[in-house]
Amino acid sequence: METMKTMKTAEAVKTMGIVKKVKTSLVMAAITVMMTLALVGCQGKKTVTIEVVDQTGASTVYEVKTDEEFLYDAIMNDSEIKLEGEEGDYGFYIIAVNGVTADYNVDASYWSLYVNGDYGQVGVSEQIVNDGDSFALKYECAE
């Protein structure tokens, strides 16, 4: 009888160990799912493309996921694009993109903004971002 009780206790302990391992695995799986969902949620609800065309004509296209209202904020907070510039009378004036400087005083070069294929009507800091928009920052020279 005592041996039978010991066997049942051993089985119960073994079963509890299995249950504990299963619980631990389920908790780890739940944490993984929650972290994945959190990361996906952090990517932003709007997806836009931003093409950067440098002084040689080389083009790099970036897909940006953002919740920002304005293009400047989307670029600065949600993309790999590096802007340098200064605030001016008409918003943020772009001097350099990804380390490439345009200097109008030297060679009449500047960075232009295109929105869905058309020349931009406002500056990068005032350009509203809508899902599916396509932007281009192009190094250009005045003629």
Side-chain angles (χ1 to χ4, degrees):
M1 180 93 153
E2 191 65 36
T3 306
M4 188 95 146
K5 210 177 202 183
T6 304
M7 286 175 49
K8 285 185 179 180
T9 303
E11 285 178 23
V13 168
K14 184 177 178 183
T15 302
M16 286 174 38
I18 292 171
V19 168
K20 187 176 180 180
K21 287 180 184 178
V22 169
K23 282 183 180 178
T24 301
S25 295
L26 288 174
V27 168
M28 294 302 290
I31 289 171
T32 302
V33 167
M34 289 182 346
M35 290 179 71
T36 301
L37 290 174
L39 287 174
V40 168
C42 290
Q43 291 182 341
K45 293 179 180 81
K46 297 181 262 187
T47 301
V48 299
T49 57
I50 304 171
E51 177 185 24
V52 175
V53 181
D54 69 16
Q55 76 280 17
T56 67
S59 170
T60 305
V61 178
Y62 301 85
E63 182 176 279
V64 178
K65 295 183 183 300
T66 187
D67 286 325
E68 299 292 350
E69 182 177 4
F70 297 103
L71 182 58
Y72 173 82
D73 297 321
I75 290 171
M76 298 304 281
N77 298 327
D78 299 320
S79 81
E80 299 173 19
I81 301 167
K82 304 296 179 225
L83 292 184
E84 295 175 45
E86 57 195 21
E87 285 296 324
D89 293 338
Y90 303 102
F92 187 80
Y93 179 74
I94 300 172
I95 296 171
V97 178
N98 294 339
V100 177
T101 300
D103 189 340
Y104 195 85
N105 295 322
V106 172
D107 60 0
S109 63
Y110 60 97
W111 284 100
S112 61
L113 171 63
Y114 288 81
V115 181
N116 297 319
D118 296 322
Y119 197 82
Q121 300 301 304
V122 296
V124 69
S125 57
E126 296 175 7
Q127 178 58 54
I128 293 175
V129 174
N130 295 302
D131 187 39
D133 278 344
S134 175
F135 301 101
L137 297 172
K138 295 184 179 182
Y139 183 101
E140 296 186 338
C141 291
E143 296 181 29

